[in-house]
Amino acid sequence: MQIAILLFDRFTALDAVGPYEILCRTPGARTVFVAERAGPVVNDRGGLSLVAERTLTEVTRPDVVVVPGGPGQGAQMENEAVLGWLRAVDATTTWTTSVCTGSLLLAAAGLLTGRRATTHWLSLDRLAGLGAEPTGERVVFDGKYVTAAGVSSGIDMGLSLLGRIAGDRVAQSVQLMTEYDPQPPYDAGSPDKAPADLVAEFRAEWRPPVTAPSS
């Protein structure tokens, strides 16, 4: 089994690393980071890079695809190299997945049309405009498509998917060995729980990533 995790400039690190840390433990699986060009790819904060071992053209039939989000996602919305690759590999994937605004890339590729999906809470309204049916759930399964909400939810997505692939006991073992037992010091991890003024502040400041201009 091959698991391909897409990278692009200014991706959010945990969107990729969270699922990687879980799914790389899938029995018999080989996890590979892919990008348009092989080599280091810098995250959205700078100072941290992940190395793309393979180019998109070198990975043609992965069993699982994971698409992270991040500020750099906007520049990929009309990047046919990425969108075309997603369409091509989706034809043979067993699972096509995303974290955070990575679902907007899946939707832009036409893969989520008419499907239930989620993304970061600040971008939920954009899913509908791309043909998907937005939901505020943390992890959403719709057929072979699995989308996760913002950033940290990629860990939950990875565990949920691992359970589907390898069974509950394997997923529980990975959860135990990674000691994934969340006990956050604050209960402000969603707009329904966070202070209303804080939510309003982020909504007022939020500007969707600028998409690449049409050629």
Side-chain angles (χ1 to χ4, degrees), residues 66-105:
V66 179
V67 182
Q73 158 266 318
Q76 307 301 317
M77 292 292 283
E78 296 179 12
N79 183 349
E80 191 54 36
V82 168
L83 300 183
W85 179 78
L86 288 173
R87 295 185 197 103
V89 297
D90 179 69
T92 55
T93 57
T94 303
W95 299 98
T96 297
T97 78
S98 67
V99 182
C100 198
T101 55
S103 61
L104 300 182
L105 285 177

PDB file of all heavy atoms in Angstrom, residues 66-105:
ATOM      1  N   VAL A  66      -3.385  12.094   0.761  1.00  0.00           N
ATOM      2  CA  VAL A  66      -3.693  13.056   1.824  1.00  0.00           C
ATOM      3  C   VAL A  66      -3.319  14.444   1.314  1.00  0.00           C
ATOM      4  O   VAL A  66      -2.172  14.676   0.911  1.00  0.00           O
ATOM      5  CB  VAL A  66      -2.908  12.755   3.121  1.00  0.00           C
ATOM      6  CG1 VAL A  66      -3.248  13.788   4.201  1.00  0.00           C
ATOM      7  CG2 VAL A  66      -3.205  11.341   3.622  1.00  0.00           C
ATOM      8  N   VAL A  67      -4.279  15.358   1.344  1.00  0.00           N
ATOM      9  CA  VAL A  67      -4.053  16.724   0.879  1.00  0.00           C
ATOM     10  C   VAL A  67      -4.156  17.674   2.075  1.00  0.00           C
ATOM     11  O   VAL A  67      -5.240  17.847   2.632  1.00  0.00           O
ATOM     12  CB  VAL A  67      -5.082  17.134  -0.194  1.00  0.00           C
ATOM     13  CG1 VAL A  67      -4.800  18.549  -0.698  1.00  0.00           C
ATOM     14  CG2 VAL A  67      -5.061  16.140  -1.357  1.00  0.00           C
ATOM     15  N   PRO A  68      -3.046  18.287   2.491  1.00  0.00           N
ATOM     16  CA  PRO A  68      -3.101  19.251   3.600  1.00  0.00           C
ATOM     17  C   PRO A  68      -3.627  20.588   3.121  1.00  0.00           C
ATOM     18  O   PRO A  68      -3.799  20.824   1.921  1.00  0.00           O
ATOM     19  CB  PRO A  68      -1.634  19.354   4.027  1.00  0.00           C
ATOM     20  CG  PRO A  68      -0.878  19.147   2.746  1.00  0.00           C
ATOM     21  CD  PRO A  68      -1.689  18.138   1.962  1.00  0.00           C
ATOM     22  N   GLY A  69      -3.870  21.483   4.070  1.00  0.00           N
ATOM     23  CA  GLY A  69      -4.245  22.844   3.738  1.00  0.00           C
ATOM     24  C   GLY A  69      -3.157  23.805   4.153  1.00  0.00           C
ATOM     25  O   GLY A  69      -2.008  23.409   4.361  1.00  0.00           O
ATOM     26  N   GLY A  70      -3.529  25.058   4.272  1.00  0.00           N
ATOM     27  CA  GLY A  70      -2.579  26.093   4.649  1.00  0.00           C
ATOM     28  C   GLY A  70      -2.739  27.299   3.751  1.00  0.00           C
ATOM     29  O   GLY A  70      -3.423  27.242   2.723  1.00  0.00           O
ATOM     30  N   PRO A  71      -2.129  28.418   4.108  1.00  0.00           N
ATOM     31  CA  PRO A  71      -2.253  29.631   3.300  1.00  0.00           C
ATOM     32  C   PRO A  71      -1.856  29.443   1.841  1.00  0.00           C
ATOM     33  O   PRO A  71      -2.394  30.093   0.952  1.00  0.00           O
ATOM     34  CB  PRO A  71      -1.319  30.617   4.005  1.00  0.00           C
ATOM     35  CG  PRO A  71      -1.243  30.134   5.406  1.00  0.00           C
ATOM     36  CD  PRO A  71      -1.337  28.644   5.326  1.00  0.00           C
ATOM     37  N   GLY A  72      -0.924  28.534   1.587  1.00  0.00           N
ATOM     38  CA  GLY A  72      -0.491  28.300   0.217  1.00  0.00           C
ATOM     39  C   GLY A  72      -1.499  27.572  -0.638  1.00  0.00           C
ATOM     40  O   GLY A  72      -1.326  27.469  -1.864  1.00  0.00           O
ATOM     41  N   GLN A  73      -2.563  27.084  -0.022  1.00  0.00           N
ATOM     42  CA  GLN A  73      -3.593  26.362  -0.785  1.00  0.00           C
ATOM     43  C   GLN A  73      -4.224  27.251  -1.850  1.00  0.00           C
ATOM     44  O   GLN A  73      -4.540  26.798  -2.958  1.00  0.00           O
ATOM     45  CB  GLN A  73      -4.642  25.810   0.181  1.00  0.00           C
ATOM     46  CG  GLN A  73      -5.995  25.497  -0.419  1.00  0.00           C
ATOM     47  CD  GLN A  73      -6.947  26.678  -0.270  1.00  0.00           C
ATOM     48  OE1 GLN A  73      -6.994  27.322   0.774  1.00  0.00           O
ATOM     49  NE2 GLN A  73      -7.717  26.962  -1.302  1.00  0.00           N
ATOM     50  N   GLY A  74      -4.394  28.548  -1.542  1.00  0.00           N
ATOM     51  CA  GLY A  74      -5.047  29.437  -2.491  1.00  0.00           C
ATOM     52  C   GLY A  74      -4.339  29.485  -3.832  1.00  0.00           C
ATOM     53  O   GLY A  74      -4.969  29.518  -4.892  1.00  0.00           O
ATOM     54  N   ALA A  75      -3.015  29.479  -3.801  1.00  0.00           N
ATOM     55  CA  ALA A  75      -2.238  29.546  -5.035  1.00  0.00           C
ATOM     56  C   ALA A  75      -2.322  28.265  -5.854  1.00  0.00           C
ATOM     57  O   ALA A  75      -1.927  28.247  -7.017  1.00  0.00           O
ATOM     58  CB  ALA A  75      -0.775  29.855  -4.711  1.00  0.00           C
ATOM     59  N   GLN A  76      -2.837  27.201  -5.256  1.00  0.00           N
ATOM     60  CA  GLN A  76      -2.956  25.918  -5.961  1.00  0.00           C
ATOM     61  C   GLN A  76      -4.332  25.705  -6.578  1.00  0.00           C
ATOM     62  O   GLN A  76      -4.535  24.731  -7.305  1.00  0.00           O
ATOM     63  CB  GLN A  76      -2.668  24.764  -4.991  1.00  0.00           C
ATOM     64  CG  GLN A  76      -1.361  24.871  -4.234  1.00  0.00           C
ATOM     65  CD  GLN A  76      -0.162  24.949  -5.149  1.00  0.00           C
ATOM     66  OE1 GLN A  76      -0.066  24.221  -6.137  1.00  0.00           O
ATOM     67  NE2 GLN A  76       0.763  25.839  -4.819  1.00  0.00           N
ATOM     68  N   MET A  77      -5.270  26.610  -6.313  1.00  0.00           N
ATOM     69  CA  MET A  77      -6.654  26.380  -6.722  1.00  0.00           C
ATOM     70  C   MET A  77      -6.850  26.326  -8.235  1.00  0.00           C
ATOM     71  O   MET A  77      -7.825  25.774  -8.721  1.00  0.00           O
ATOM     72  CB  MET A  77      -7.563  27.438  -6.102  1.00  0.00           C
ATOM     73  CG  MET A  77      -7.712  27.331  -4.599  1.00  0.00           C
ATOM     74  SD  MET A  77      -8.605  25.863  -4.063  1.00  0.00           S
ATOM     75  CE  MET A  77     -10.299  26.339  -4.438  1.00  0.00           C
ATOM     76  N   GLU A  78      -5.925  26.923  -8.976  1.00  0.00           N
ATOM     77  CA  GLU A  78      -5.995  26.854 -10.432  1.00  0.00           C
ATOM     78  C   GLU A  78      -4.709  26.278 -11.013  1.00  0.00           C
ATOM     79  O   GLU A  78      -4.405  26.488 -12.197  1.00  0.00           O
ATOM     80  CB  GLU A  78      -6.288  28.235 -11.009  1.00  0.00           C
ATOM     81  CG  GLU A  78      -7.664  28.772 -10.598  1.00  0.00           C
ATOM     82  CD  GLU A  78      -7.941  30.159 -11.160  1.00  0.00           C
ATOM     83  OE1 GLU A  78      -7.183  30.607 -12.046  1.00  0.00           O
ATOM     84  OE2 GLU A  78      -8.913  30.781 -10.716  1.00  0.00           O
ATOM     85  N   ASN A  79      -3.975  25.561 -10.188  1.00  0.00           N
ATOM     86  CA  ASN A  79      -2.729  24.930 -10.630  1.00  0.00           C
ATOM     87  C   ASN A  79      -3.066  23.571 -11.228  1.00  0.00           C
ATOM     88  O   ASN A  79      -3.298  22.599 -10.516  1.00  0.00           O
ATOM     89  CB  ASN A  79      -1.768  24.786  -9.461  1.00  0.00           C
ATOM     90  CG  ASN A  79      -0.433  24.193  -9.872  1.00  0.00           C
ATOM     91  OD1 ASN A  79      -0.273  23.692 -10.991  1.00  0.00           O
ATOM     92  ND2 ASN A  79       0.536  24.240  -8.974  1.00  0.00           N
ATOM     93  N   GLU A  80      -3.099  23.511 -12.530  1.00  0.00           N
ATOM     94  CA  GLU A  80      -3.542  22.290 -13.192  1.00  0.00           C
ATOM     95  C   GLU A  80      -2.591  21.123 -12.944  1.00  0.00           C
ATOM     96  O   GLU A  80      -3.010  19.962 -13.007  1.00  0.00           O
ATOM     97  CB  GLU A  80      -3.717  22.519 -14.689  1.00  0.00           C
ATOM     98  CG  GLU A  80      -4.421  21.391 -15.421  1.00  0.00           C
ATOM     99  CD  GLU A  80      -5.779  21.015 -14.817  1.00  0.00           C
ATOM    100  OE1 GLU A  80      -6.502  21.909 -14.334  1.00  0.00           O
ATOM    101  OE2 GLU A  80      -6.111  19.810 -14.830  1.00  0.00           O
ATOM    102  N   ALA A  81      -1.331  21.410 -12.657  1.00  0.00           N
ATOM    103  CA  ALA A  81      -0.408  20.314 -12.339  1.00  0.00           C
ATOM    104  C   ALA A  81      -0.889  19.554 -11.109  1.00  0.00           C
ATOM    105  O   ALA A  81      -0.871  18.317 -11.068  1.00  0.00           O
ATOM    106  CB  ALA A  81       1.001  20.858 -12.121  1.00  0.00           C
ATOM    107  N   VAL A  82      -1.339  20.312 -10.099  1.00  0.00           N
ATOM    108  CA  VAL A  82      -1.844  19.690  -8.867  1.00  0.00           C
ATOM    109  C   VAL A  82      -3.254  19.144  -9.058  1.00  0.00           C
ATOM    110  O   VAL A  82      -3.540  17.995  -8.712  1.00  0.00           O
ATOM    111  CB  VAL A  82      -1.808  20.707  -7.705  1.00  0.00           C
ATOM    112  CG1 VAL A  82      -2.587  20.177  -6.501  1.00  0.00           C
ATOM    113  CG2 VAL A  82      -0.366  21.004  -7.304  1.00  0.00           C
ATOM    114  N   LEU A  83      -4.155  19.964  -9.618  1.00  0.00           N
ATOM    115  CA  LEU A  83      -5.540  19.521  -9.786  1.00  0.00           C
ATOM    116  C   LEU A  83      -5.633  18.338 -10.733  1.00  0.00           C
ATOM    117  O   LEU A  83      -6.390  17.382 -10.494  1.00  0.00           O
ATOM    118  CB  LEU A  83      -6.409  20.676 -10.291  1.00  0.00           C
ATOM    119  CG  LEU A  83      -6.483  21.918  -9.396  1.00  0.00           C
ATOM    120  CD1 LEU A  83      -7.441  22.940  -9.999  1.00  0.00           C
ATOM    121  CD2 LEU A  83      -6.918  21.558  -7.980  1.00  0.00           C
ATOM    122  N   GLY A  84      -4.866  18.377 -11.812  1.00  0.00           N
ATOM    123  CA  GLY A  84      -4.880  17.263 -12.759  1.00  0.00           C
ATOM    124  C   GLY A  84      -4.342  15.993 -12.134  1.00  0.00           C
ATOM    125  O   GLY A  84      -4.854  14.892 -12.392  1.00  0.00           O
ATOM    126  N   TRP A  85      -3.306  16.144 -11.298  1.00  0.00           N
ATOM    127  CA  TRP A  85      -2.767  14.970 -10.603  1.00  0.00           C
ATOM    128  C   TRP A  85      -3.810  14.386  -9.653  1.00  0.00           C
ATOM    129  O   TRP A  85      -3.989  13.162  -9.599  1.00  0.00           O
ATOM    130  CB  TRP A  85      -1.506  15.355  -9.829  1.00  0.00           C
ATOM    131  CG  TRP A  85      -0.890  14.218  -9.068  1.00  0.00           C
ATOM    132  CD1 TRP A  85      -0.117  13.202  -9.570  1.00  0.00           C
ATOM    133  CD2 TRP A  85      -0.988  13.962  -7.657  1.00  0.00           C
ATOM    134  NE1 TRP A  85       0.269  12.350  -8.576  1.00  0.00           N
ATOM    135  CE2 TRP A  85      -0.254  12.790  -7.392  1.00  0.00           C
ATOM    136  CE3 TRP A  85      -1.617  14.627  -6.607  1.00  0.00           C
ATOM    137  CZ2 TRP A  85      -0.134  12.268  -6.103  1.00  0.00           C
ATOM    138  CZ3 TRP A  85      -1.504  14.103  -5.326  1.00  0.00           C
ATOM    139  CH2 TRP A  85      -0.768  12.932  -5.079  1.00  0.00           C
ATOM    140  N   LEU A  86      -4.499  15.242  -8.930  1.00  0.00           N
ATOM    141  CA  LEU A  86      -5.529  14.753  -8.016  1.00  0.00           C
ATOM    142  C   LEU A  86      -6.612  13.986  -8.763  1.00  0.00           C
ATOM    143  O   LEU A  86      -7.050  12.915  -8.325  1.00  0.00           O
ATOM    144  CB  LEU A  86      -6.148  15.918  -7.236  1.00  0.00           C
ATOM    145  CG  LEU A  86      -5.267  16.556  -6.158  1.00  0.00           C
ATOM    146  CD1 LEU A  86      -5.926  17.805  -5.591  1.00  0.00           C
ATOM    147  CD2 LEU A  86      -4.981  15.556  -5.033  1.00  0.00           C
ATOM    148  N   ARG A  87      -7.056  14.516  -9.891  1.00  0.00           N
ATOM    149  CA  ARG A  87      -8.074  13.807 -10.680  1.00  0.00           C
ATOM    150  C   ARG A  87      -7.545  12.468 -11.178  1.00  0.00           C
ATOM    151  O   ARG A  87      -8.255  11.454 -11.148  1.00  0.00           O
ATOM    152  CB  ARG A  87      -8.508  14.659 -11.870  1.00  0.00           C
ATOM    153  CG  ARG A  87      -9.217  15.950 -11.511  1.00  0.00           C
ATOM    154  CD  ARG A  87      -9.724  16.652 -12.764  1.00  0.00           C
ATOM    155  NE  ARG A  87     -10.034  18.051 -12.494  1.00  0.00           N
ATOM    156  CZ  ARG A  87      -9.256  19.068 -12.846  1.00  0.00           C
ATOM    157  NH1 ARG A  87      -8.120  18.846 -13.518  1.00  0.00           N
ATOM    158  NH2 ARG A  87      -9.609  20.315 -12.551  1.00  0.00           N
ATOM    159  N   ALA A  88      -6.317  12.466 -11.647  1.00  0.00           N
ATOM    160  CA  ALA A  88      -5.748  11.250 -12.230  1.00  0.00           C
ATOM    161  C   ALA A  88      -5.576  10.152 -11.190  1.00  0.00           C
ATOM    162  O   ALA A  88      -5.987   9.002 -11.417  1.00  0.00           O
ATOM    163  CB  ALA A  88      -4.407  11.574 -12.888  1.00  0.00           C
ATOM    164  N   VAL A  89      -5.000  10.485 -10.033  1.00  0.00           N
ATOM    165  CA  VAL A  89      -4.770   9.441  -9.037  1.00  0.00           C
ATOM    166  C   VAL A  89      -6.062   9.030  -8.357  1.00  0.00           C
ATOM    167  O   VAL A  89      -6.212   7.875  -7.924  1.00  0.00           O
ATOM    168  CB  VAL A  89      -3.712   9.868  -7.996  1.00  0.00           C
ATOM    169  CG1 VAL A  89      -2.362  10.083  -8.659  1.00  0.00           C
ATOM    170  CG2 VAL A  89      -4.149  11.094  -7.211  1.00  0.00           C
ATOM    171  N   ASP A  90      -7.014   9.954  -8.282  1.00  0.00           N
ATOM    172  CA  ASP A  90      -8.295   9.628  -7.650  1.00  0.00           C
ATOM    173  C   ASP A  90      -9.013   8.501  -8.390  1.00  0.00           C
ATOM    174  O   ASP A  90      -9.810   7.772  -7.796  1.00  0.00           O
ATOM    175  CB  ASP A  90      -9.188  10.871  -7.602  1.00  0.00           C
ATOM    176  CG  ASP A  90     -10.540  10.591  -6.970  1.00  0.00           C
ATOM    177  OD1 ASP A  90     -10.574  10.343  -5.745  1.00  0.00           O
ATOM    178  OD2 ASP A  90     -11.547  10.598  -7.695  1.00  0.00           O
ATOM    179  N   ALA A  91      -8.725   8.343  -9.664  1.00  0.00           N
ATOM    180  CA  ALA A  91      -9.371   7.295 -10.445  1.00  0.00           C
ATOM    181  C   ALA A  91      -9.068   5.908  -9.894  1.00  0.00           C
ATOM    182  O   ALA A  91      -9.860   4.970 -10.089  1.00  0.00           O
ATOM    183  CB  ALA A  91      -8.935   7.391 -11.910  1.00  0.00           C
ATOM    184  N   THR A  92      -7.943   5.754  -9.197  1.00  0.00           N
ATOM    185  CA  THR A  92      -7.562   4.426  -8.705  1.00  0.00           C
ATOM    186  C   THR A  92      -7.309   4.380  -7.199  1.00  0.00           C
ATOM    187  O   THR A  92      -6.959   3.321  -6.679  1.00  0.00           O
ATOM    188  CB  THR A  92      -6.305   3.925  -9.439  1.00  0.00           C
ATOM    189  OG1 THR A  92      -5.253   4.893  -9.309  1.00  0.00           O
ATOM    190  CG2 THR A  92      -6.599   3.680 -10.916  1.00  0.00           C
ATOM    191  N   THR A  93      -7.465   5.499  -6.481  1.00  0.00           N
ATOM    192  CA  THR A  93      -7.240   5.455  -5.033  1.00  0.00           C
ATOM    193  C   THR A  93      -8.314   4.630  -4.334  1.00  0.00           C
ATOM    194  O   THR A  93      -9.450   4.527  -4.798  1.00  0.00           O
ATOM    195  CB  THR A  93      -7.245   6.866  -4.405  1.00  0.00           C
ATOM    196  OG1 THR A  93      -8.487   7.503  -4.709  1.00  0.00           O
ATOM    197  CG2 THR A  93      -6.077   7.698  -4.887  1.00  0.00           C
ATOM    198  N   THR A  94      -7.934   4.090  -3.209  1.00  0.00           N
ATOM    199  CA  THR A  94      -8.911   3.469  -2.315  1.00  0.00           C
ATOM    200  C   THR A  94      -9.522   4.536  -1.409  1.00  0.00           C
ATOM    201  O   THR A  94     -10.709   4.508  -1.103  1.00  0.00           O
ATOM    202  CB  THR A  94      -8.241   2.383  -1.458  1.00  0.00           C
ATOM    203  OG1 THR A  94      -7.637   1.417  -2.322  1.00  0.00           O
ATOM    204  CG2 THR A  94      -9.258   1.685  -0.557  1.00  0.00           C
ATOM    205  N   TRP A  95      -8.683   5.500  -1.007  1.00  0.00           N
ATOM    206  CA  TRP A  95      -9.122   6.602  -0.160  1.00  0.00           C
ATOM    207  C   TRP A  95      -8.492   7.904  -0.653  1.00  0.00           C
ATOM    208  O   TRP A  95      -7.282   7.956  -0.890  1.00  0.00           O
ATOM    209  CB  TRP A  95      -8.712   6.380   1.302  1.00  0.00           C
ATOM    210  CG  TRP A  95      -9.285   5.154   1.934  1.00  0.00           C
ATOM    211  CD1 TRP A  95      -8.675   3.944   2.089  1.00  0.00           C
ATOM    212  CD2 TRP A  95     -10.588   5.008   2.495  1.00  0.00           C
ATOM    213  NE1 TRP A  95      -9.512   3.059   2.717  1.00  0.00           N
ATOM    214  CE2 TRP A  95     -10.710   3.687   2.974  1.00  0.00           C
ATOM    215  CE3 TRP A  95     -11.682   5.871   2.649  1.00  0.00           C
ATOM    216  CZ2 TRP A  95     -11.855   3.204   3.597  1.00  0.00           C
ATOM    217  CZ3 TRP A  95     -12.827   5.386   3.266  1.00  0.00           C
ATOM    218  CH2 TRP A  95     -12.910   4.075   3.734  1.00  0.00           C
ATOM    219  N   THR A  96      -9.309   8.932  -0.783  1.00  0.00           N
ATOM    220  CA  THR A  96      -8.838  10.274  -1.112  1.00  0.00           C
ATOM    221  C   THR A  96      -9.220  11.178   0.048  1.00  0.00           C
ATOM    222  O   THR A  96     -10.402  11.290   0.375  1.00  0.00           O
ATOM    223  CB  THR A  96      -9.467  10.783  -2.423  1.00  0.00           C
ATOM    224  OG1 THR A  96      -9.047   9.931  -3.507  1.00  0.00           O
ATOM    225  CG2 THR A  96      -9.045  12.211  -2.722  1.00  0.00           C
ATOM    226  N   THR A  97      -8.226  11.800   0.684  1.00  0.00           N
ATOM    227  CA  THR A  97      -8.480  12.485   1.949  1.00  0.00           C
ATOM    228  C   THR A  97      -7.879  13.893   1.972  1.00  0.00           C
ATOM    229  O   THR A  97      -7.017  14.229   1.153  1.00  0.00           O
ATOM    230  CB  THR A  97      -7.904  11.690   3.131  1.00  0.00           C
ATOM    231  OG1 THR A  97      -6.484  11.899   3.212  1.00  0.00           O
ATOM    232  CG2 THR A  97      -8.176  10.192   2.988  1.00  0.00           C
ATOM    233  N   SER A  98      -8.322  14.675   2.937  1.00  0.00           N
ATOM    234  CA  SER A  98      -7.784  16.027   3.101  1.00  0.00           C
ATOM    235  C   SER A  98      -7.862  16.444   4.555  1.00  0.00           C
ATOM    236  O   SER A  98      -8.610  15.873   5.351  1.00  0.00           O
ATOM    237  CB  SER A  98      -8.564  17.025   2.239  1.00  0.00           C
ATOM    238  OG  SER A  98      -9.891  17.157   2.716  1.00  0.00           O
ATOM    239  N   VAL A  99      -7.081  17.470   4.871  1.00  0.00           N
ATOM    240  CA  VAL A  99      -7.112  18.108   6.187  1.00  0.00           C
ATOM    241  C   VAL A  99      -7.251  19.608   5.968  1.00  0.00           C
ATOM    242  O   VAL A  99      -6.633  20.176   5.062  1.00  0.00           O
ATOM    243  CB  VAL A  99      -5.829  17.820   6.987  1.00  0.00           C
ATOM    244  CG1 VAL A  99      -5.901  18.456   8.376  1.00  0.00           C
ATOM    245  CG2 VAL A  99      -5.580  16.317   7.104  1.00  0.00           C
ATOM    246  N   CYS A 100      -8.074  20.244   6.785  1.00  0.00           N
ATOM    247  CA  CYS A 100      -8.231  21.692   6.756  1.00  0.00           C
ATOM    248  C   CYS A 100      -8.641  22.133   5.339  1.00  0.00           C
ATOM    249  O   CYS A 100      -9.500  21.519   4.719  1.00  0.00           O
ATOM    250  CB  CYS A 100      -6.935  22.341   7.242  1.00  0.00           C
ATOM    251  SG  CYS A 100      -7.091  24.068   7.751  1.00  0.00           S
ATOM    252  N   THR A 101      -8.035  23.191   4.814  1.00  0.00           N
ATOM    253  CA  THR A 101      -8.439  23.712   3.504  1.00  0.00           C
ATOM    254  C   THR A 101      -7.953  22.853   2.347  1.00  0.00           C
ATOM    255  O   THR A 101      -8.184  23.197   1.186  1.00  0.00           O
ATOM    256  CB  THR A 101      -7.950  25.157   3.318  1.00  0.00           C
ATOM    257  OG1 THR A 101      -6.530  25.214   3.525  1.00  0.00           O
ATOM    258  CG2 THR A 101      -8.652  26.095   4.288  1.00  0.00           C
ATOM    259  N   GLY A 102      -7.324  21.738   2.643  1.00  0.00           N
ATOM    260  CA  GLY A 102      -7.015  20.781   1.583  1.00  0.00           C
ATOM    261  C   GLY A 102      -8.269  20.308   0.874  1.00  0.00           C
ATOM    262  O   GLY A 102      -8.235  19.964  -0.321  1.00  0.00           O
ATOM    263  N   SER A 103      -9.403  20.300   1.584  1.00  0.00           N
ATOM    264  CA  SER A 103     -10.653  19.889   0.936  1.00  0.00           C
ATOM    265  C   SER A 103     -11.063  20.855  -0.167  1.00  0.00           C
ATOM    266  O   SER A 103     -11.757  20.468  -1.113  1.00  0.00           O
ATOM    267  CB  SER A 103     -11.778  19.748   1.961  1.00  0.00           C
ATOM    268  OG  SER A 103     -12.029  20.977   2.608  1.00  0.00           O
ATOM    269  N   LEU A 104     -10.644  22.122  -0.067  1.00  0.00           N
ATOM    270  CA  LEU A 104     -10.951  23.069  -1.135  1.00  0.00           C
ATOM    271  C   LEU A 104     -10.227  22.682  -2.418  1.00  0.00           C
ATOM    272  O   LEU A 104     -10.750  22.881  -3.523  1.00  0.00           O
ATOM    273  CB  LEU A 104     -10.567  24.487  -0.721  1.00  0.00           C
ATOM    274  CG  LEU A 104     -11.258  25.040   0.530  1.00  0.00           C
ATOM    275  CD1 LEU A 104     -10.808  26.473   0.792  1.00  0.00           C
ATOM    276  CD2 LEU A 104     -12.771  24.966   0.423  1.00  0.00           C
ATOM    277  N   LEU A 105      -9.045  22.113  -2.292  1.00  0.00           N
ATOM    278  CA  LEU A 105      -8.338  21.628  -3.474  1.00  0.00           C
ATOM    279  C   LEU A 105      -9.047  20.419  -4.073  1.00  0.00           C
ATOM    280  O   LEU A 105      -9.178  20.314  -5.293  1.00  0.00           O
ATOM    281  CB  LEU A 105      -6.893  21.278  -3.126  1.00  0.00           C
ATOM    282  CG  LEU A 105      -5.939  22.449  -2.912  1.00  0.00           C
ATOM    283  CD1 LEU A 105      -4.553  21.950  -2.501  1.00  0.00           C
ATOM    284  CD2 LEU A 105      -5.843  23.292  -4.168  1.00  0.00           C
TER     285      LEU A 105
END
